[in-house]
Amino acid sequence: MQASSQGVTVVALLADPDAPTDIAKRLARALPDRLADKSGQGRRFDVEVVSQPFTAGAEDASTLMRRIVDRGSAENWDIIVALTDLPLHSHRRRLVVDLSHEHGAALLSLPSLGGWRLQGKARRAVEEAVLSLTGPRATGAERAPRSQPPLGPFAGRLAPIRPGPVDEEEFADLRYVANGPRGYLRVLVGMVRANRPWRLVPGLSKALAAALATGAIATLDSTVWSLATSLSTPRLIVATVGSVGLMIGWLIVDANLWHRTAEGSPEARQRAALYNTSTVVTVSIGVLVCYVGLMAINFVWALFILNDQVFASMTRNPLNATGYWTLSWFVASTATVGGALGSGLESDEAIRAAAYSKREQERRHMLQGEHDG
C-alpha cells in the first residue's frame, strides 16, 4: 500500500547477514530524516532493518527480486530495499540495482559500489532508490517506458553505472549495471573488500607459527647469513615473488578455493572468472600482509640475537643497517615457504572462513553440496 503524502512511508531494509546488515543498521539511524528532507511535501519515513539470508541458494537477479516482492507483500511495508554482498549479473552485465516501481521493491548489490567509502555510496544509492520508489506506481500498461528511466541522478553520481536491459517478464522495471573495465574493477574491488583479506592473517595461525619458527631458526644459521649478503636486490625480489607465489598457489589449491562452473553459458564463465580473480587478489593481499609482518618480526629478532663480530667473521661483511635489512628480507622469503608447508595443517574450512565473506562461504558450501550430490 502506498502511503499518502502526509502519512508515514514504511521502508524496510532487507539485508543479508554480516556486512550488509551492519551497513543497513548504520543507514537506518539517519535515513528517515534524510529522506524526509529530500522528499519534501511533509512526508515522513519509518525505516526498519530485517536481517535475513534472502540470497541463499540463488544468484539470479530475477529470482531474488521475486523473493523480495513476496517478502514485502507479506508485511505492512510500503517500500523494501534489499542489500547483499554477493555480486550479481544480468544479461552478462554486472548488476548494481534492480527497481520495481509497481511493487515498491529494490535490490542492491553492494560490491558494485566499489571498495572505498562504501557506507556513503550505499546511503546515496538507497536514498535515491527509495525516493524513486515513493513516486506514483503504475501497473500493467501504465508502467513507465523502460527506455526512459526516471532515476537519472543515480547513474550520474555513481559513474560508470548506466541503465541496463530488463526483460518484459521480470519484476524489475528499471535496472542499473556497471559497464566496461572500470565497472569490472569496481565490482572486483568491492568483492575483495567484502572478503576482508586482512582476516587471513589470524586465520592462518598454524601457517604463521610454522613461518615464525622457520624464520627464527634461519636467522641463526650462518649459511643463511652468507646467502643473504651474497644476493643482489633483483635476486631478493625473485625470492620474494617466488615464495609469495608459492604460498598463494598452495592456499588456493590445498583449500580448494578455485571456483569451477559446470554451466557452459558465457555469463556463468564470466561470473566464475570474477570469483576466481577476487580469490587471487584476496589471498594475495593476505599473504603480502603476512610477508611484511614476518620481515618486521625477523628484523627485530635479528637486532636482539645477532652479534656483529660473529656475523662479520662468518660473512666478511659488517652487520650494519643494510645487513639487518637484507637478512630479514631473505629470511622472510624462507619463512614464507615454511608457512606454505605449515598451511597444510589448517583445515579447509578455516582457510575459507578467513578468505571469504559469510555470504560467499555459504554460496560455495551450497555449490559444493550440489556437486557432491
Side-chain angles (χ1 to χ4, degrees):
M1 179 183 66
Q2 179 71 27
S4 65
S5 61
Q6 299 299 321
V8 177
T9 301
V10 180
V11 179
L13 299 181
L14 178 65
D16 268 333
D18 203 27
T21 296
D22 294 339
I23 291 174
K25 288 180 178 178
R26 288 194 292 268
L27 288 177
R29 297 169 188 166
L31 194 58
D33 293 337
R34 293 180 62 88
L35 289 173
D37 291 341
K38 291 188 175 184
S39 64
Q41 302 177 352
R43 187 189 296 272
R44 292 182 296 139
F45 292 84
D46 182 20
V47 179
E48 302 178 10
V49 176
V50 179
S51 181
Q52 178 181 319
F54 69 93
T55 59
E59 294 181 81
D60 177 63
S62 298
T63 301
L64 296 179
M65 279 297 290
R66 186 179 300 109
R67 291 181 180 180
I68 296 165
V69 171
D70 291 343
R71 183 73 172 86
S73 63
E75 303 286 346
N76 189 28
W77 299 329
D78 298 301
I79 293 172
I80 179 171
V81 180
L83 292 79
T84 180
D85 58 359
L86 281 182
L88 301 175
H89 294 75
S90 179
H91 299 275
R92 299 183 63 183
R93 293 174 172 86
R94 291 163 288 278
L95 177 70
V96 179
V97 64
D98 264 358
L99 297 106
S100 173
H101 292 79
E102 178 180 352
H103 300 95
L107 169 63
L108 176 63
S109 176
L110 293 173
S112 63
L113 301 180
W116 293 278
R117 301 190 304 275
L118 180 59
Q119 189 69 36
K121 292 177 183 177
R123 185 198 68 237
R124 186 163 65 242
V126 170
E127 287 176 0
E128 294 183 359
V130 171
L131 293 175
S132 177
L133 295 174
T134 54
R137 297 184 190 176
T139 59
E142 298 178 356
R143 296 171 69 175
R146 297 168 186 261
S147 60
Q148 299 178 359
L151 204 60
F154 187 89
R157 294 179 184 178
L158 298 179
I161 296 173
R162 296 290 182 267
V166 184
D167 294 334
E168 290 294 333
E169 64 274 11
E170 294 188 64
F171 275 97
D173 51 44
L174 179 62
R175 170 172 295 147
Y176 281 87
V177 295
N179 282 338
R182 286 179 59 204
Y184 179 90
L185 182 61
R186 192 186 194 104
V187 174
L188 177 61
V189 172
M191 292 175 66
V192 173
R193 186 190 188 280
N195 288 338
R196 291 177 286 186
W198 52 88
R199 298 185 308 175
L200 195 64
V201 178
L204 295 176
S205 57
K206 295 177 182 177
L208 287 175
L212 289 172
T214 303
I217 296 173
T219 303
L220 303 176
D221 193 326
S222 60
T223 303
V224 174
W225 302 348
S226 300
L227 285 173
T229 56
S230 64
L231 290 177
S232 62
T233 299
R235 289 192 175 186
L236 287 170
I237 294 175
V238 170
T240 299
V241 173
S243 60
V244 170
L246 176 63
M247 183 72 160
I248 294 170
W250 181 265
L251 287 173
I252 292 175
V253 173
D254 186 60
N256 195 25
L257 302 183
W258 197 254
H259 176 73
R260 295 178 178 84
T261 178
E263 302 178 39
S265 65
E267 185 171 308
R269 291 195 297 268
Q270 182 186 62
R271 187 165 55 241
L274 186 61
Y275 279 126
N276 288 330
T277 303
S278 70
T279 295
V280 172
V281 175
T282 298
V283 176
S284 298
I285 293 174
V287 171
L288 285 173
V289 170
C290 291
Y291 186 92
V292 173
L294 287 172
M295 187 182 297
I297 292 172
N298 291 329
F299 186 86
V300 173
W301 172 246
L303 282 175
F304 279 97
I305 204 69
L306 294 185
N307 181 283
D308 54 350
Q309 295 180 350
V310 175
F311 185 91
S313 66
M314 298 297 296
T315 64
R316 297 186 177 86
N317 288 285
L319 186 58
N320 49 24
T322 302
Y324 279 115
W325 163 253
T326 303
L327 178 61
S328 61
W329 186 359
F330 179 66
V331 168
S333 298
T334 305
T336 300
V337 175
L341 299 176
S343 66
L345 301 175
E346 307 279 2
S347 67
D348 293 351
E349 291 76 14
I351 296 177
R352 293 192 190 103
Y356 293 132
S357 67
K358 185 177 180 63
R359 292 295 96 202
E360 178 65 0
Q361 292 175 53
E362 293 181 355
R363 187 190 72 84
R364 288 176 178 258
H365 180 72
M366 180 200 66
L367 292 177
Q368 184 64 35
E370 292 178 352
H371 177 74
D372 295 342

